[in-house]
Amino acid sequence: MKPSTIKIQTSQDYYESLKGRRLKVYLFGELVEEPSEHPMIRPSVNAVAETYDLALREPELASVISPFTGERINRFLHISTSANDLVLQNKMQRKLGQNTGTCFQRCVGMDAFNALFSTTFEMDKKYQTPYHERFVAFLTEMHRRNFVIGGAMTDVKGDRSKAPHEQADPDLFVHITRRTSEGVYITGAKAHQTGCLNSHWLLVMPTMRLGEKDKDYAIVGAVPVEAPGITYIYGRQSCDTRSMEGGSMDAGNANFGGQEAMVIFEEVFIPNPLIFMDGEYEFASMLVERFTCYHRRSYVCKSGVGDVLIGAAANIAEMNGADKASHIKDKLVEMTHLNETIYGTGIAASYQGYATESGAYLPDDMLANVCKHHVTRFPYEISRLAQDLAGGLMVTLPSEQDYNNPETHELLKKYLKGKPNIPTEDRFRMFRLIENMTLGRNAVGYLTESMHGAGSPQAQRIQIARFMQLEYKKRLAKVLAGIEVIDTEAMVEEAGSYFGRVFEI
Amino acid sequence: MKPSTIKIQTSQDYYESLKGRRLKVYLFGELVEEPSEHPMIRPSVNAVAETYDLALREPELASVISPFTGERINRFLHISTSANDLVLQNKMQRKLGQNTGTCFQRCVGMDAFNALFSTTFEMDKKYQTPYHERFVAFLTEMHRRNFVIGGAMTDVKGDRSKAPHEQADPDLFVHITRRTSEGVYITGAKAHQTGCLNSHWLLVMPTMRLGEKDKDYAIVGAVPVEAPGITYIYGRQSCDTRSMEGGSMDAGNANFGGQEAMVIFEEVFIPNPLIFMDGEYEFASMLVERFTCYHRRSYVCKSGVGDVLIGAAANIAEMNGADKASHIKDKLVEMTHLNETIYGTGIAASYQGYATESGAYLPDDMLANVCKHHVTRFPYEISRLAQDLAGGLMVTLPSEQDYNNPETHELLKKYLKGKPNIPTEDRFRMFRLIENMTLGRNAVGYLTESMHGAGSPQAQRIQIARFMQLEYKKRLAKVLAGIEVIDTEAMVEEAGSYFGRVFEI
Amino acid sequence: MKPSTIKIQTSQDYYESLKGRRLKVYLFGELVEEPSEHPMIRPSVNAVAETYDLALREPELASVISPFTGERINRFLHISTSANDLVLQNKMQRKLGQNTGTCFQRCVGMDAFNALFSTTFEMDKKYQTPYHERFVAFLTEMHRRNFVIGGAMTDVKGDRSKAPHEQADPDLFVHITRRTSEGVYITGAKAHQTGCLNSHWLLVMPTMRLGEKDKDYAIVGAVPVEAPGITYIYGRQSCDTRSMEGGSMDAGNANFGGQEAMVIFEEVFIPNPLIFMDGEYEFASMLVERFTCYHRRSYVCKSGVGDVLIGAAANIAEMNGADKASHIKDKLVEMTHLNETIYGTGIAASYQGYATESGAYLPDDMLANVCKHHVTRFPYEISRLAQDLAGGLMVTLPSEQDYNNPETHELLKKYLKGKPNIPTEDRFRMFRLIENMTLGRNAVGYLTESMHGAGSPQAQRIQIARFMQLEYKKRLAKVLAGIEVIDTEAMVEEAGSYFGRVFEI
Amino acid sequence: MKPSTIKIQTSQDYYESLKGRRLKVYLFGELVEEPSEHPMIRPSVNAVAETYDLALREPELASVISPFTGERINRFLHISTSANDLVLQNKMQRKLGQNTGTCFQRCVGMDAFNALFSTTFEMDKKYQTPYHERFVAFLTEMHRRNFVIGGAMTDVKGDRSKAPHEQADPDLFVHITRRTSEGVYITGAKAHQTGCLNSHWLLVMPTMRLGEKDKDYAIVGAVPVEAPGITYIYGRQSCDTRSMEGGSMDAGNANFGGQEAMVIFEEVFIPNPLIFMDGEYEFASMLVERFTCYHRRSYVCKSGVGDVLIGAAANIAEMNGADKASHIKDKLVEMTHLNETIYGTGIAASYQGYATESGAYLPDDMLANVCKHHVTRFPYEISRLAQDLAGGLMVTLPSEQDYNNPETHELLKKYLKGKPNIPTEDRFRMFRLIENMTLGRNAVGYLTESMHGAGSPQAQRIQIARFMQLEYKKRLAKVLAGIEVIDTEAMVEEAGSYFGRVFEI
């Protein structure tokens, strides 16, 4: 990694930085020439670009002064060293959700940076390894360049009942295949990686708890997105080809979209200075758990996306002339109630964050899981209510081409008219936005990714179970039922973990 | 209408019958040459074709002997004259939902026929009009030909706070514009008409309660699908163009799909023998209410579609190697519980049906509304749970072209492998089916149409409110609270309506 | 059992029949002199008495002609030999729920009779035992006397991880301790037996599937309620002592209540002619499953209780002057929607019932479980909504004694006034009824018994899992995904069980 | 008000302070001699006493140094001047919920103090009135004495469609009936006042927005609990008399309970120095809204009560021998998830609090309402799940007297045995605790008070509607749909209110 020369400041800089990289990207059976300009990929690039623009428009919200370089950098690159830092991440996430109506794809990198910062610190402390120092050097360089970092975590996993080393095919989890004095070579594949193509660097990390025999799978390192040996196969989304049809209406949200790809590593080299874990398998779970703790609470972004959908539902009700009905207003209230619950539990996790040994702050695990668990339910209900308010036209509207075809334009303008003072085209566009967010391209991010990103619902339930301190609660009940007398000291001791934070002053 | 010559018996007959009609159908800004063979429209034709095939394979379930012609006809054309007839409709609907995984589009016609049969009977009784006789003649002819009947009910409505005659543009509801001694001419548009293009005849009906000044809107009549003056503008569905991409995997359910179009009438002629209401505005609400009563309970079909989705979720869990987890099994139970509730409340409405004056049987209104109201909620939850079981690949899977591209095929085969003994392609296809049903083309029918078809949720709540007999229930409570003594006679009288049927023996 | 002399016809006969029996009943640490007249027990006797009165007032609904005696008997004693018989049980149950607002306690006996009829038939067929004949003789005698039958099924169970014969204390399940040529002696205890004291006879039955070593637990027989060796210990209910305070207001529903007691058998004798199973352990599960199948669908009664609570909520909203608010009406609609779902799924189970080999009809198992599973959820939500409509006074109202105390009466009359034209006392009584049904005495039946009676929620989920035919559904999905071609024959075969009934014509 | 002489420090001091006051308290038709020692009232006194004990055991959590006296006082008397102060209130509330399993009744006074502090400040600023100064003097005195303050807010309201001055009976809202130079006389009644009898002073406040003609109703003042002219009529709770039966088992939670009474004012005098509003009707809504803003978020206490119920459910599952079943664990997770949502949204409201002009901090209104709205739903579901885990014995258990009666004790001990190593009595007590919290005395506080305290559900929906900023959200959607371009400045301006706080840095 050579010293940086250019620092990305504007979305324009960012667009430029993506050009001319020799990426091997497959889409619809073909290699893509210039991925960042492909009409189906472009909206996901735009969403990341907005993270730069926001930092310029609202620097307090979306940028910080790097403690490593002393320069202003994007907040997505910052290591949180206070609860307030964690809260500000959430505020920025909600704003970006509002501005893009989609996944803006930078949280994985942010959360991976934060998790690695403290995990490398604790690894070094235990093993006198050089990982934290290396990582800080890499981080500093990323700050200098103000780069976008993607994560590469979710292995394809193969047979879920077997550990990595037990798989029939050892490549079903990314692992080290070869070592030299300069570094290591890795092979394997990471599935559904959000925002990989439009990043500058990828952080490769293990996807789950590892055992002693999985040592070669305990590899963390950084690789440039264009590293030799990487193949990207682009993932399809519902209604993805609408962005290739040429218009701006049927896409629903023509500017912004998410991105997910399969990232295949074939003997990809990681030089020693960019290796941040190598064989310390017992730290894999710490890394994964800290990452998911940050990341589950990062789903506060969906409250920003929810704001857009609530706004869209309110618009369409008005355009239909139905906004005065009491049940319509009541449904908007319910949508808001659910949406704010995501926000409220998320920022509570951040506010109740605590310092790790490295000084980096980690959100409260219980509340982070509670937040994410709501995210696996409430966007679906908000979406259902939005469809209720929209009415059936949302899924039976003729195509944009028919709307623009002179032979049918007047007919459609006449018959798709809702409230007299509202242009038919506006109503048309609003239907398409709701379709986009509840069935189409951005439903992928608002719904299915909300379900599985940062761990599926059952993963949160397992974590909630770990933190729910039943023994402490059982004792409370026994005291009130007259079975035991209260043992205050024991209670304080048992409080430990979650209740320790709840009752911390 | 000339005497019939050919009777449709097989799906082959049916495909033939659709060819060569000069329909004016717009799609993607162009006139469609032969709609029934257009790759995007074909799946909806196939779904109707399956109604013919089923009648041959399982005649007891899907056909009856016509009391008018003495010949075996499709059950969709039959007038129910017993509760058992109503129940058998539901059983056939569930089976077709299972066989197609989509909306098979013939229920509107079936339910409209049944509603018109009794409504014309009661109109004639009151006004000595000839509608019932005319209708029976038309019905008989349809039986002879074993035709597919579509409905044309939902007007585009314009400003929802105004009655038809109050609209700025009188055409926002279909109405009579001209009369001759031979018949009437109508103008207007019907939005999101399910299964219109693949029908043979359309029944034009008013969409809501009408007032005295709306007399010209109180028109019911039959027109052939290819009647001069009709323009169809085809509705887009989520992921609709996948069926035009050439493969069979990415479409998810390559064979079957729904169809909805905007149907525009410009001075379309209806001859006198095919007019079944003309100006009897006060019968519009009876017609609409009976139609929705039949149709809300017809949504039992979604329990058949739900069977497919539950099966798909069970398959994918197994293919992922996760089917032994207790939470997976528990979610399948929950999906089933919800799905059977739709079926159970629907058939209860049919079983508790009752005879109208014409002899035609009408389902129980309360239970029909309860059934449909669940349909506006439970498919969404079943769908959410299916996405939970599927995992994220469902929305990040590469394209079929990439799967088939020799340069990426082996990589994808290797890395998309789940449980060892299951072909990767099967897993790929199962993900796509779930995508199809929860986000894609058939999500339109399973979710959004479930929400709005036969009336949006609020419409059911209004009907439930009408039938909930609060005064009767208030009296029950007063008696038990010691405020009143029981007045059995009054209670029996008050039972009326719904409780009259509940306690009928 | 001597030939009957008196047949019970009226509630008066019934009250008489309970007097003077030498029952050993403990309550509040004392033996109760005449249980049926104890103020806390009386309301449960009244509820059963209403089953006699209803049979006189509405004979078609609540009585039948016995095929065994040719005389008119209460429907609770009837063996269902058609789907319509099953449906009529449900209609009667709803009516009695409406008339009493509580559990009327005769369903256990009815459902046990029906289950035993077919199970003894099949036992005899297999083993040439005389159980069916004996049972019919006993049934005939019960018809002659028109008696009330209670069940005794739920053993206290001890350590739930152990089979009956494995328990440390063999008495934790009722079992045979001694045999003579005349009969057997049993010991053990049955917990929370609904309607035992106010019955005439008890049917003792095993509570679950048994194994070969549990042979002595495989005992079914009839004993008179006053049989020597039985001790009853009366169960407490929430707010039970209000019925002993003397007034009629604070009890909420002064006339009617449920009853549950622990029934302890110490060497109770059952003579041979009254033994209907003895050692045929493998039939225990058939008996239990059939009983629960009938009984789960019998919870349709709760829709009648729900009618009362909906009425009470509507009354109190009106009395508070808040009945015009749109959210109030909407909540009443929701309560009704949920309540009718219980009814609808219940009667669907009955309508879809089928004949056993004995000719007795059994409800559809899947739908019976779906019905009961809703009963474990919806009454809680209906109850929550009723409390919402009631307002806080429901739980902060002063006592009846304060209302009647001359020093506070005028103050309370003045300040508890709601809508001007409604007497304060009526409002007071309505609050108390809602308290009774959502927190008090009848909440026990409406909520907690709804949860656990006829099996706790998990028991229904296990049964739903057994009947959900995943293999059949998986095949449906594979066909539509293009993985398999349809194999109609196999499908028909696989349909089996539940889908066999769904698609039966 | 004379200068204080004694400061309450311990629960013992507190018990002493309540004795010998000449209160006019009616209960069961009689005047109560020494209310604080009445067995039915005592548990509610104990709950308040625990607030003193906690302050001694955990001073950081439950006490502060008064800025007015410089002495350590109970946190319930403190005016919050930072977000952290608000958060610490929540933490203390959760702890007290855990320690008492009931409503501890001091939040009304705390929240009223805080709301009055800022409202009197703003009144004075507008009208140069002396209210704030008077209030601070009163506050200081309360700090000196470390007293318990009760609120008196909820008028009985009469006909809810009429304003106070429009009521047939002017006393249906508390109002000034007479004035002298020393002060005013008030008449009226406050319903279901939590923790009035066991307080030292009551703050009388209006209950809702007032108009110009309601000037005499715009009265705020302090009165001692024993003020002449006050009559208390004690409210009944479910199972209240169990505390008078002598034992300690059947009560469920023998030590702690809530308290609600009707408080009737008949010409009660308030001297000028204790009047904090008199006629400034337009400030009534500010006072009420601020009070409810504090108070809705104070329902975080229910997460502490929920901890007890979750613990009780976990205990009983273990005692039944069923704690290893996966569905049991899953239900405990769900209960926890819901419970922590209450906590998370509540503390989020506190963390996102903001300064009023007086320096007192107010919680975020939107999140406070979201928190309370969950409180009207989730405790009911947690309660339902607790009943599911408990099993039916929870409502059919024999009485404590039967358990202790030598004639039945051994039988019950034998047959109520669950898991062998757990004493039967412990299991008995655990059932009773769950009954207490889900149906009995403390269900009143955990359920019905959760529903209606601090405003019924609809009141929260109205507030959520007020803060949901639909115009801002509609604009977001229009920008993404391509209807409008973004107008950042306007957005910032519009952010206002809630989004102003969300995006505040």
Side-chain angles (χ1 to χ4, degrees), chain B residues 57-58 60-61 75 84 88 91-92 94-95 97-102 248 252-256 304 306-312 314-315 318-319 323 329-334 336-341 343-345 347-348 351-352 366-367 369-371 373-374 377-378 425-427 429-430 433 458 460-462 464-465 468 470-478 480-483 486 488 491-492 498-499 501-505, chain C residues 57-58 60-61 75 84 88 91-92 94-95 97-102 248 252-256 304 306-312 314-315 318-319 323 329-334 336-341 343-345 347-348 351-352 366-367 369-371 373-374 377-378 425-427 429-430 433 458 460-462 464-465 468 470-478 480-483 486 488 491-492 498-499 501-505:
Chain B
R57 285 202 314 275
E58 305 188 31
E60 295 300 310
L61 182 64
R75 184 177 292 284
N84 196 45
L88 285 170
K91 288 171 181 272
M92 174 179 67
R94 184 161 188 175
K95 175 67 89 175
Q98 290 188 345
N99 287 359
T100 63
T102 188
S248 75
N253 177 348
N255 265 340
F256 298 116
D307 289 329
V308 176
L309 189 51
I310 294 167
N315 278 320
E318 185 187 345
M319 290 168 169
D323 52 324
K329 193 165 177 189
D330 197 60
K331 283 164 188 165
L332 290 166
V333 167
E334 184 66 19
T336 302
H337 173 59
L338 299 178
N339 198 47
E340 297 301 338
T341 301
Y343 174 73
T345 50
I347 61 162
Y351 275 119
Q352 201 165 284
M366 168 66 93
L367 292 171
N369 277 284
V370 167
C371 171
H373 206 51
H374 284 307
R377 298 174 175 180
F378 290 168
E425 185 182 319
D426 288 6
R427 192 173 172 231
R429 285 180 177 276
M430 203 47 66
L433 177 61
Q458 191 60 14
Q460 289 112 50
R461 296 181 86 80
I462 289 168
I464 292 173
M468 69 183 173
L470 278 187
E471 292 311 311
Y472 177 92
K473 289 173 184 161
K474 282 160 76 175
R475 205 187 268 262
L476 291 172
K478 282 182 184 164
L480 292 177
I483 297 171
I486 199 155
T488 311
M491 291 300 280
V492 168
Y498 180 58
F499 282 124
R501 284 193 295 284
V502 168
F503 296 123
E504 204 185 5
I505 292 156
Chain C
R57 284 203 315 275
E58 306 187 33
E60 294 300 310
L61 182 64
R75 183 177 293 283
N84 195 45
L88 285 170
K91 288 170 181 270
M92 172 179 70
R94 183 160 188 176
K95 176 66 90 176
Q98 289 188 346
N99 287 0
T100 63
T102 189
S248 75
N253 177 349
N255 264 342
F256 299 116
D307 290 328
V308 176
L309 188 51
I310 293 167
N315 278 320
E318 185 186 346
M319 290 168 169
D323 52 325
K329 194 166 175 187
D330 197 60
K331 284 164 188 164
L332 290 166
V333 167
E334 184 67 19
T336 302
H337 173 59
L338 300 178
N339 199 47
E340 297 301 339
T341 302
Y343 175 73
T345 49
I347 61 162
Y351 275 119
Q352 201 165 284
M366 169 65 94
L367 293 171
N369 278 284
V370 167
C371 171
H373 206 50
H374 283 308
R377 298 175 175 180
F378 291 169
E425 185 182 319
D426 287 6
R427 193 174 173 230
R429 285 180 176 277
M430 202 49 66
L433 176 60
Q458 191 61 15
Q460 289 112 50
R461 296 181 86 81
I462 289 168
I464 292 172
M468 69 183 173
L470 277 187
E471 292 310 313
Y472 177 92
K473 288 174 184 161
K474 283 160 75 174
R475 204 186 269 264
L476 292 172
K478 283 182 183 164
L480 292 177
I483 297 171
I486 196 154
T488 311
M491 292 300 280
V492 168
Y498 180 57
F499 282 124
R501 284 193 294 285
V502 168
F503 296 124
E504 203 185 6
I505 294 157

Side-chain angles (χ1 to χ4, degrees), chain B residues 102-352:
Chain B
T102 188
C103 171
F104 35 87
Q105 311 154 58
R106 287 191 76 172
C107 299
V108 173
M110 176 176 79
D111 296 333
F113 262 18
N114 276 272
L116 258 177
F117 189 88
S118 65
T119 304
T120 53
F121 185 93
E122 296 183 36
M123 271 195 286
D124 288 6
K125 193 177 155 197
K126 181 161 180 194
Y127 292 120
Q128 286 76 50
T129 40
Y131 300 134
H132 190 65
E133 193 180 339
R134 285 180 185 174
F135 178 70
V136 168
F138 173 68
L139 184 66
T140 305
E141 177 60 14
M142 295 299 103
H143 282 195
R144 261 188 214 115
R145 302 291 301 269
N146 206 18
F147 266 163
V148 175
I149 310 301
M153 186 174 243
T154 313
D155 287 289
V156 291
K157 293 199 191 81
D159 187 332
R160 273 131 218 261
S161 62
K162 293 195 160 59
H165 74 277
E166 294 171 336
Q167 300 285 332
D169 179 346
D171 300 346
L172 289 169
F173 287 76
V174 168
H175 63 124
I176 296 170
T177 50
R178 201 151 52 93
R179 295 172 178 283
T180 69
S181 58
E182 275 81 41
V184 302
Y185 291 82
I186 60 170
T187 287
K190 298 288 190 178
H192 31 80
Q193 295 304 305
T194 299
C196 45
L197 289 178
N198 41 12
S199 295
H200 301 98
W201 283 79
L202 296 180
L203 271 174
V204 180
M205 298 171 283
T207 196
M208 60 181 209
R209 169 182 300 274
L210 299 173
E212 201 177 344
K213 293 189 177 168
D214 300 317
K215 272 186 102 160
D216 283 344
Y217 295 84
I219 171 70
V220 176
V223 293
V225 166
E226 65 268 37
I230 305 186
T231 301
Y232 298 89
I233 310 182
Y234 208 78
R236 290 207 75 165
Q237 295 182 318
S238 180
C239 299
D240 47 9
T241 54
R242 290 207 189 171
S243 53
M244 298 163 70
E245 293 177 0
S248 75
M249 291 165 74
D250 278 2
N253 177 348
N255 265 340
F256 298 116
Q259 170 192 113
E260 270 154 341
M262 175 167 289
V263 184
I264 299 168
F265 297 86
E266 292 172 293
E267 299 286 309
V268 173
F269 179 66
I270 312 179
N272 290 330
L274 296 177
I275 294 174
F276 312 129
M277 177 190 291
D278 179 3
E280 293 78 7
Y281 63 87
E282 78 277 28
F283 278 92
S285 61
M286 178 190 283
L287 178 62
V288 172
E289 278 169 26
R290 289 191 178 173
F291 171 74
T292 52
C293 180
Y294 285 110
H295 204 46
R296 285 179 187 171
R297 160 227 58 133
S298 280
Y299 275 79
V300 158
C301 66
K302 300 303 178 199
S303 67
V305 181
D307 289 329
V308 176
L309 189 51
I310 294 167
N315 278 320
I316 203 69
E318 185 187 345
M319 290 168 169
N320 291 344
D323 52 324
K324 303 295 178 224
S326 68
H327 75 99
I328 298 286
K329 193 165 177 189
D330 197 60
K331 283 164 188 165
L332 290 166
V333 167
E334 184 66 19
M335 293 163 88
T336 302
H337 173 59
L338 299 178
N339 198 47
E340 297 301 338
T341 301
I342 292 171
Y343 174 73
T345 50
I347 61 162
S350 291
Y351 275 119
Q352 201 165 284

